């Protein structure tokens, strides 16, 4: 399958690219490199340095590469930053995703996997979190992702051939088994690497 991975120069996106390549898929990476790392783009992968809000540019890429499905990881993900700069998150995460859907519609691409977040659940009613719990975010980051889930549902109702999956997860951590890909966040906010850095004496 010919797959476009947005945010493919980022942490989770680059791992998705690796797995797709291992599965024999034809992968194209789209990233504006505002927070991704060009060094994380694997050899043999076509790279387009584009912003999702460039609807015509993204649509042209989708057509040229004859993309069949999109995996969407291009988002800002710092909860604290989302509280102090909410418009940044609604612009990049929510509006950027809307623009991506517009480009997909123009290019006739109707399959997407969306990287959402468990932050859409806010303070959960019970633990462990299950998919059927009410979604009630407590910060702009969570809302910026939940709005996209709503947009995907509405877009799907209006377009019967459209299909999507939204992945909700927390605190992804670790590196590739061969050490070729790993975390490179500045600042680091994920709890598992923060704990490990503390144990190693790299932070208090």
């Amino acid at each position: 399958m010919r797959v476009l991975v947005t945010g493919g120069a980022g942490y989770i996106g680059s791992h998705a690219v690796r797995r797709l390549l291992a599965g024999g898929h034809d992968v194209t990476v789209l990233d504006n490199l505002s927070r991704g790392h060009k060094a994380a783009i694997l050899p043999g992968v076509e790279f387009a340095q584009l912003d999702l809000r460039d609807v015509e540019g993204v649509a042209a890429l989708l057509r040229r590469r004859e993309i069949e499905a999109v995996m969407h990881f291009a988002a800002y993900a710092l909860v604290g930053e989302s509280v102090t700069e909410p418009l940044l998150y609604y612009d990049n995460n929510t509006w950027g995703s809307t623009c991506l859907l517009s480009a997909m519609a123009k290019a006739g691409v109707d399959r997407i996997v969306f990287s959402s977040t468990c932050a859409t659940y806010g303070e959960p009613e019970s633990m462990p979190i299950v998919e059927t719990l009410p979604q009630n975010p407590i910060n702009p980051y969570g809302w910026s992702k939940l709005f996209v889930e709503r947009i995907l549902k509405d877009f799907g109702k209006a377009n019967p051939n459209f299909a999507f999956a939204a992945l909700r997860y927390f605190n992804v951590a670790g590196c590739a088994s061969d050490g070729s890909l790993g975390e490179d966040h500045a600042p680091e906010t994920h709890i598992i690497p923060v704990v490990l850095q503390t144990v190693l004496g790299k932070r208090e």
Side-chain angles (χ1 to χ4, degrees):
M1 179 175 280
R2 294 182 295 277
V3 182
L4 176 71
V5 178
T6 71
Y11 174 48
I12 300 175
S14 62
H15 281 271
V17 170
R18 184 187 179 100
R19 291 301 303 156
L20 287 166
L21 291 174
H25 299 284
D26 184 353
V27 182
T28 301
V29 167
L30 181 154
D31 202 300
N32 66 9
L33 296 182
S34 63
R35 302 202 176 176
H37 305 277
K38 197 168 184 179
I41 301 170
L42 298 176
V45 174
E46 176 157 340
F47 169 59
Q49 187 170 347
L50 278 173
D51 192 285
L52 289 178
R53 291 158 291 196
D54 179 0
V55 174
E56 294 302 328
V58 175
L61 175 67
L62 292 167
R63 293 190 196 99
R64 181 174 62 81
R65 294 289 291 160
E66 298 181 335
I67 297 297
E68 299 171 273
V70 173
M71 295 185 74
H72 179 29
F73 299 98
Y76 296 153
L78 298 176
V79 170
E81 182 183 58
S82 80
V83 174
T84 58
E85 298 188 58
L87 294 183
L88 180 68
Y89 278 68
Y90 292 125
D91 182 36
N92 185 77
N93 295 3
T94 309
W95 178 239
S97 298
T98 304
C99 291
L100 173 61
L101 287 172
S102 295
M104 290 172 61
K106 287 177 177 288
V109 181
D110 56 13
R111 296 288 184 272
I112 185 170
V113 175
F114 171 57
S115 178
S116 190
T117 173
C118 279
T120 63
Y121 293 108
E123 297 290 347
E125 295 178 350
S126 60
M127 294 293 285
I129 297 173
V130 295
E131 189 174 4
T132 53
L133 286 178
Q135 291 174 279
N136 187 27
I138 58 173
N139 53 63
Y141 168 62
W143 280 112
S144 75
K145 293 284 194 162
L146 185 55
F147 287 148
V148 177
E149 289 193 27
R150 181 72 257 177
I151 291 165
L152 288 166
K153 290 175 184 176
D154 290 340
F155 189 72
K157 288 178 182 178
N159 298 274
N161 292 327
F162 179 77
F164 76 94
L167 309 177
R168 301 177 192 139
Y169 40 75
F170 259 150
N171 290 311
V172 178
C175 67
S177 57
D178 63 1
S180 61
L181 289 173
E183 299 190 57
D184 189 5
H185 301 133
E188 181 58 76
T189 62
H190 294 174
I191 189 168
I192 295 174
V194 165
V195 168
L196 292 175
Q197 288 175 354
T198 303
V199 170
L200 293 171
K202 296 184 176 181
R203 64 190 299 160
E204 295 183 359

